[in-house]
Amino acid sequence: MKYQALPSSLYIKNRKKLVQKLLPKSLAVFHANDVMPTNADGTMRFRQNNDLFYLSGIDQEESILLICPDFPDPSMREILFLRETNEHIAIWEGHKYTKEEAIEASGIENIQWLDKFENTLNTLIALSNHVYLNTNEHLRADVQVESRDARFIRRCKERYPLHQYHRVAPLMHQLRAVKEQEEIDQLQVACDITEKGFRRILSFVMPGVTEYEIEAEFIHEFIRNRSRGFAYEPIIATGENACVLHYIENKATCKDGELILFDVGAEYGNYNADMTRTIPVNGKFTDRQRKVYDAVLRVKRGAMDILRPGINIQDYHKEVGLIMESELLGLGLLDQTDIKNQDPKWPAYKKYFMHGTSHHLGLDVHDVGTMHEPISAGMVFTVEPGIYIREEGLGIRLENDILIQDNGYFDLMRNIPIEAEEIEDLMNK
């Protein structure tokens, strides 16, 4: 891996937290993600299953983790299974974990090759009453492809039909939502790399450059700082393209007088940054652009002040909506008649701000976590309001990543320029 791995003490701690939530005489099973095919004999780049990574730090395909806390033999309570390498694999694919390296990375003492998995599973499950199996239960997931976890669930239930089966995903959502300090440090690195990319493009953007050239500048800076690359498909949207929320074609030429919206983030060590900035192509905001920009910035700052321990995301979004409503009235985009006649299920402000303001951030860009229970200190969220005026071809979104603390928040993107004057100054050096 290019990135600096976190210490095994983190993964030991994470496993202990999960064990505390399991029922007595339980077995929990976690599988790596598949290596996904493209066409012919091609494959996509491997991306580890985040739950397995969270519990072990192992970043390799075909890995399996078994946790059986009450097994009589203490050496069998945590077992990590890895793909055994050979000369052919070494030549064609490169280095794989040795058992010693896996122990150092994960803190798990019992490392076995995959050919021992079935017999070991049979031994552990015979003395277990409860079996916890993993699935992707993200609220926005649209699962079309069968995973290794899904195939194992089917096979396991066929082979051991009388056990009591449980979902481990809700437990993992609770654990992963609240970050340990080591995770926060890794997220900070991702944000710092993102800052370097943004500062690089501030001196690059001018009328006549293309969206894809700007994308290339970002990826250059990300990879040279040991990032795997973009945390998600980047949005580089000039002019009216910024009014398409998930615009990813990145093919247009930036024109004098337009704004360009960047929704990009670097990945580092499987943790993700998520930043949005909007800048003038020619280095100077027009009066109208500046008024809308400042309105979005005020909403963002107001939202960051609201996002505190004890509030839930649903109520938070409602409060942010009221701030946005006030700003849209000030911009002349709404009037009191619009407010009076609005549908409470789709308030008038949604015409110009139609997406949510925040989501969890971590190992997933849209990370797992509660959407209805009160938020707590240690959670990391994006804050990303926007105003999109399609009739003017004008779209502005601003986004920072923040750590929730007991008495406020810590801005992980505090050093990334966001004030209009600072952006203009940097672009016109």
Side-chain angles (χ1 to χ4, degrees):
M1 292 84 70
K2 294 194 291 285
Y3 62 86
Q4 182 65 47
L6 294 173
S8 62
S9 57
L10 170 66
Y11 307 111
I12 294 170
K13 183 165 41 180
N14 288 347
R15 292 193 297 275
K16 286 180 178 178
K17 289 190 295 185
L18 175 61
V19 165
Q20 292 171 1
K21 293 183 175 292
L22 301 179
L23 293 168
K25 292 191 174 182
S26 288
L27 171 66
V29 188
F30 298 87
H31 284 262
N33 282 338
D34 281 314
V35 177
M36 300 302 296
T38 54
N39 294 286
D41 61 348
T43 60
M44 298 181 185
R45 178 182 293 185
F46 175 69
R47 179 64 163 82
Q48 184 58 286
N49 178 280
N50 284 331
D51 291 324
L52 176 64
F53 184 81
Y54 176 85
L55 295 169
S56 70
I58 294 299
D59 204 352
Q60 184 172 290
E61 72 282 359
E62 297 185 41
S63 306
I64 307 174
L65 173 63
L66 296 182
I67 298 177
C68 193
D70 298 324
F71 196 78
D73 182 351
S75 70
M76 300 287 282
R77 293 174 183 171
E78 295 181 338
I79 309 175
L80 179 66
F81 297 86
L82 298 174
R83 180 187 185 193
E84 185 175 9
T85 192
N86 55 42
E87 185 177 1
H88 177 82
I89 292 172
I91 291 172
W92 286 89
E93 300 180 26
H95 181 74
K96 303 295 179 184
Y97 284 104
T98 65
K99 289 186 176 182
E100 293 74 20
E101 289 169 342
I103 291 171
E104 183 179 359
S106 67
I108 297 170
E109 294 294 333
N110 191 347
I111 310 294
Q112 302 291 331
W113 302 130
L114 277 173
D115 60 1
K116 304 294 185 184
F117 173 72
E118 293 296 340
N119 286 341
T120 306
L121 174 66
N122 196 55
T123 299
L124 297 182
I125 207 168
L127 296 183
S128 300
N129 295 333
H130 305 277
V131 182
Y132 286 82
L133 301 178
N134 203 17
T135 52
N136 179 6
E137 297 187 20
H138 193 285
L139 291 175
R140 295 170 62 176
D142 181 15
V143 179
Q144 302 282 340
V145 178
E146 188 177 54
S147 65
R148 297 176 76 86
D149 277 322
R151 295 194 298 274
F152 177 75
I153 289 169
R154 184 173 61 247
R155 189 172 81 249
C156 191
K157 287 185 173 182
E158 289 173 353
R159 186 173 175 183
Y160 308 104
L162 299 183
H163 280 73
Q164 297 181 54
Y165 288 93
H166 302 271
R167 300 154 51 220
V168 77
L171 305 182
M172 296 304 299
H173 289 196
Q174 293 173 26
L175 295 178
R176 283 176 49 192
V178 179
K179 272 57 179 179
E180 296 288 345
Q181 185 59 51
E182 298 92 331
E183 298 181 276
I184 295 165
D185 293 343
Q186 209 77 326
L187 285 165
Q188 185 66 73
V189 175
C191 290
D192 291 346
I193 296 172
T194 304
E195 177 191 353
K196 291 177 181 179
F198 180 60
R199 288 184 180 275
R200 179 188 180 101
I201 64 93
L202 284 176
S203 61
F204 177 79
V205 169
M206 64 181 67
V209 303
T210 60
E211 294 168 344
Y212 55 82
E213 289 177 301
I214 297 169
E215 181 179 350
E217 293 296 311
F218 271 113
I219 194 67
H220 179 105
E221 196 66 26
F222 288 179
I223 291 177
R224 74 191 293 262
N225 283 282
R226 304 178 75 177
S227 166
R228 192 196 315 251
F230 289 110
Y232 49 93
E233 198 67 25
I235 298 170
I236 315 288
T238 189
E240 63 184 10
N241 294 336
C243 295
V244 180
L245 298 182
H246 288 165
Y247 172 82
I248 56 173
E249 292 185 62
N250 301 349
K251 65 180 184 180
T253 299
C254 303
K255 299 181 179 63
D256 192 10
E258 290 182 338
L259 296 182
I260 182 165
L261 183 155
F262 312 102
D263 191 334
V264 301
E267 177 271 357
Y268 184 79
N270 292 348
Y271 287 84
N272 302 286
D274 190 354
M275 176 200 75
T276 307
R277 291 292 186 271
T278 309
I279 67 173
V281 171
N282 63 11
K284 180 68 177 176
F285 292 95
T286 66
D287 290 343
R288 175 62 168 171
Q289 291 167 349
R290 178 64 186 272
K291 287 179 181 178
V292 178
Y293 186 96
D294 287 346
V296 175
L297 186 55
R298 285 192 293 269
V299 175
K300 175 181 165 295
R301 288 178 171 149
M304 290 164 73
D305 288 335
I306 298 169
L307 201 53
R308 293 286 189 277
I311 194 170
N312 68 52
I313 294 298
Q314 312 308 319
D315 291 339
Y316 159 74
H317 282 150
K318 291 177 183 177
E319 291 193 40
V320 175
L322 295 176
I323 300 175
M324 178 61 77
E325 179 184 277
S326 175
E327 293 293 346
L328 293 174
L329 285 167
L331 291 169
L333 294 169
L334 296 179
D335 58 31
Q336 292 298 335
T337 301
D338 296 320
I339 307 302
K340 180 180 178 180
N341 296 330
Q342 68 185 352
D343 180 354
K345 295 181 180 179
W346 189 258
Y349 75 82
K350 288 284 189 180
K351 178 180 178 181
Y352 299 101
F353 175 41
M354 61 291 294
H355 58 79
T357 312
S358 295
H359 58 75
H360 288 272
L361 183 72
L363 284 168
D364 285 302
V365 176
H366 291 170
D367 208 16
V368 294
T370 177
M371 293 301 294
H372 297 281
E373 297 175 4
I375 70 169
S376 59
M379 294 181 176
V380 176
F381 286 94
T382 65
V383 181
E384 49 182 307
I387 294 176
Y388 312 92
I389 313 171
R390 282 173 288 176
E391 58 269 28
E392 298 180 28
L394 177 61
I396 297 174
R397 180 165 67 251
L398 299 172
E399 175 183 21
N400 278 23
D401 306 332
I402 65 171
L403 166 67
I404 304 302
Q405 298 179 318
D406 289 326
N407 298 309
Y409 65 86
F410 181 76
D411 188 351
L412 297 172
M413 292 185 164
R414 61 201 175 280
N415 295 323
I416 303 180
I418 197 168
E419 291 287 351
E421 293 91 345
E422 183 179 8
I423 288 172
E424 289 179 338
D425 288 345
L426 289 168
M427 293 186 73
N428 290 286
K429 273 187 175 181

